[in-house]
Amino acid sequence: MPYAAEGRLSHDPIEGGIEITEQQYRQGLNGVLAGEHVQIVGGAFFVGPLPVVEPEPEPEPTPDEIKAQRLEQNNSAYEAATGALTADYPQLEKDTWPTQDAESSAWLLDPLGASTPWIDRAAAVRGLDREEYLRRTLVKARQFVIMSAWLTGRRQGYEDAIKDGGDPVLDYQLPVEVLLELQAVQQTVMAAPTAQLREALA
């Protein structure tokens, strides 16, 4: 006497299975070969496709969860935008930026007497005039301040809106007026006479 259980056929007793006829056994074998499944439905033998079980619907997020998701998306977009500002620089070079900034700032205050040993060496190895290197450093430092301040203010503004229940469209693309300001900084720093540079950047 053949037997059947969920997904199984046998001529030997199956724990938890039921007795079936030889005809049902052959039907079951043919069904399995055709990709169907042996099932016991209400204690009765059945061969057919597995029933499609609809997944449980995801619970609707709470207002607090929605707010948390939007805050996380805002922070992620901000990190991507700010990360792009320094993405082309290796970490070791970024670690030297405070030194470069301090030396270029000292030179801006005292072009004749400032000590700039790090920049002096880097400029010599690179094959650049010392003042050229200092001016380029000033440009990058001033531009970074402008861009990071704009991006940070943008993030904080979005955060305020989200906390107030809003759903702002996140846009961290620098606007035209900021791009023009960056260009003006470069032109001023690179073109102004050394004696007038500090005043020009005030």
Side-chain angles (χ1 to χ4, degrees), residues 97-116 119 130 133-142 145 189 194 197-198 201:
W97 287 353
T99 300
Q100 294 188 56
D101 185 51
E103 291 189 3
S104 61
S105 296
W107 173 77
L108 184 62
L109 293 173
D110 184 7
L112 296 179
S115 174
T116 57
I119 286 178
R130 169 181 178 261
Y133 199 110
L134 284 160
R135 286 177 183 265
R136 291 189 185 188
T137 301
L138 281 173
V139 168
K140 290 181 180 179
R142 293 303 174 99
V145 168
V189 173
T194 304
L197 185 57
R198 180 181 175 187
L201 292 177

Side-chain angles (χ1 to χ4, degrees), residues 145-154 171-175 178:
V145 168
I146 293 168
M147 291 185 290
S148 62
W150 188 90
L151 291 170
T152 299
R154 192 75 152 181
D171 181 8
Y172 282 94
Q173 189 73 31
L174 296 176
V178 173

Side-chain angles (χ1 to χ4, degrees), residues 135 139 143 179-193 197 200-201:
R135 286 177 183 265
V139 168
Q143 288 180 333
L179 297 176
L180 291 175
E181 187 177 0
L182 298 176
Q183 184 179 13
V185 167
Q186 180 169 8
Q187 291 174 345
T188 298
V189 173
M190 299 308 295
L197 185 57
L201 292 177

Side-chain angles (χ1 to χ4, degrees), residues 7-82:
R8 297 178 62 191
L9 293 168
S10 176
H11 274 102
D12 296 320
I14 303 173
E15 183 178 353
I18 63 171
E19 292 184 7
I20 59 174
T21 67
E22 284 293 340
Q23 182 181 0
Q24 288 173 321
Y25 181 81
R26 289 192 297 273
Q27 179 188 359
L29 287 179
N30 290 333
V32 170
L33 291 174
E36 295 181 327
H37 187 74
V38 174
Q39 303 168 62
I40 308 301
V41 181
F45 174 79
F46 177 76
V47 180
L50 282 172
V52 177
V53 179
E54 293 293 334
E56 289 291 328
E58 291 289 332
E60 290 292 325
T62 66
D64 284 344
E65 289 173 338
I66 292 174
K67 187 178 293 186
Q69 290 171 0
R70 290 173 180 170
L71 289 171
E72 182 178 353
Q73 290 169 353
N74 181 38
N75 287 338
S76 295
Y78 170 78
E79 289 176 356
T82 54

